[in-house]
Amino acid sequence: MDNGQWHVRLVRALTRKGWTQSELSARTGIDANNIYKYTSGVVAQPRGDTLRRMADALGVNLIWLRDGSGPELSAVPVVGYVGAGEMFMPAAEAELGELSLDFAAADPIAVVVRGASMAPVYRPGDYLICSRVSNGDLAACLGKDCVVQTSDGLGYIKRVVKGAALGTFTLLSYAADPIPDVTLSWCAPVVWIKRA
């Protein structure tokens, strides 16, 4: 948790983006004089949706900007392409945009990979950050690698596909036999991997 003042985090986010105060003003529609006041610490807290507009433009988490808690980034720049057997191909950030890391509507959880049943995709010791969904939202997990809990309480990391019967799912592994036609309590698509 960062207990510093919010304007210090605002300046940090501006610096990370490489933007001037004028650029932030232009991207948010917030008056440049107000941006100056915010970065100088003159204003204790902006009114209305001003803080959210700045957070969205800067790609940072609103709660982090306001309170200093939670993850800093809500989006990261996509800077190029890479493929098997290919060199890294840089591209302009404007061309590829940003990858959203929005956990606002998620129930984020993390698990640690143990064993090699999902190799080579997931390695032992990897941390998998997942966004948990349940019941009616389980269709959002189809075709994705997910941490799942079956209705009988077993937990797995598997690719989730439709099962043969209505309301069931088949769980696919990279190195083991499928587990057909199970019902799930919840599933959590993998949204981020932190390598050990």
Side-chain angles (χ1 to χ4, degrees):
M1 179 178 236
D2 176 358
N3 293 318
Q5 297 177 321
W6 82 273
H7 76 277
V8 173
R9 291 185 292 278
L10 176 61
V11 171
R12 174 175 158 177
L14 266 174
T15 303
R16 182 181 55 79
K17 277 288 204 187
W19 290 357
T20 63
Q21 293 176 16
S22 297
E23 188 162 0
L24 180 60
S25 173
R27 289 176 181 259
T28 60
I30 299 168
D31 183 83
N33 289 328
N34 287 339
I35 297 288
Y36 173 77
K37 290 176 186 175
Y38 300 150
T39 59
S40 300
V42 173
V43 176
Q45 198 74 224
R47 293 184 187 157
D49 70 342
T50 301
L51 203 60
R52 175 171 296 283
R53 287 165 46 201
M54 289 188 294
D56 288 348
L58 292 165
V60 297
N61 181 306
L62 172 64
I63 305 302
W64 172 82
L65 183 58
R66 186 185 67 209
D67 302 329
S69 59
E72 177 178 347
L73 298 179
S74 64
V76 294
V78 180
V79 298
Y81 299 95
V82 68
E86 294 181 18
M87 293 176 41
F88 172 69
M89 309 264 305
E93 183 178 328
E95 176 187 337
L96 298 176
E98 292 184 327
L99 175 65
S100 174
L101 300 175
D102 182 14
F103 283 107
D107 179 9
I109 60 170
V111 295
V112 182
V113 174
R114 189 169 58 184
S117 71
M118 294 300 281
V121 177
Y122 306 112
R123 305 172 191 161
D126 283 354
Y127 288 86
L128 307 181
I129 291 77
C130 307
S131 176
R132 184 164 44 186
V133 295
S134 59
N135 298 330
D137 297 327
L138 293 178
C141 298
L142 292 176
K144 299 177 182 172
D145 288 357
C146 300
V147 173
V148 301
Q149 184 176 52
T150 63
S151 57
D152 57 359
L154 300 174
Y156 302 99
I157 170 73
K158 301 287 184 185
R159 179 168 294 273
V160 177
V161 297
K162 283 186 179 181
L166 184 64
T168 67
F169 300 89
T170 295
L171 306 178
L172 305 176
S173 177
Y174 290 97
D177 292 334
I179 303 172
D181 303 323
V182 297
T183 56
L184 300 177
S185 298
W186 56 262
C187 68
V190 176
V191 295
W192 191 57
I193 304 166
K194 182 178 184 300
R195 296 283 183 211

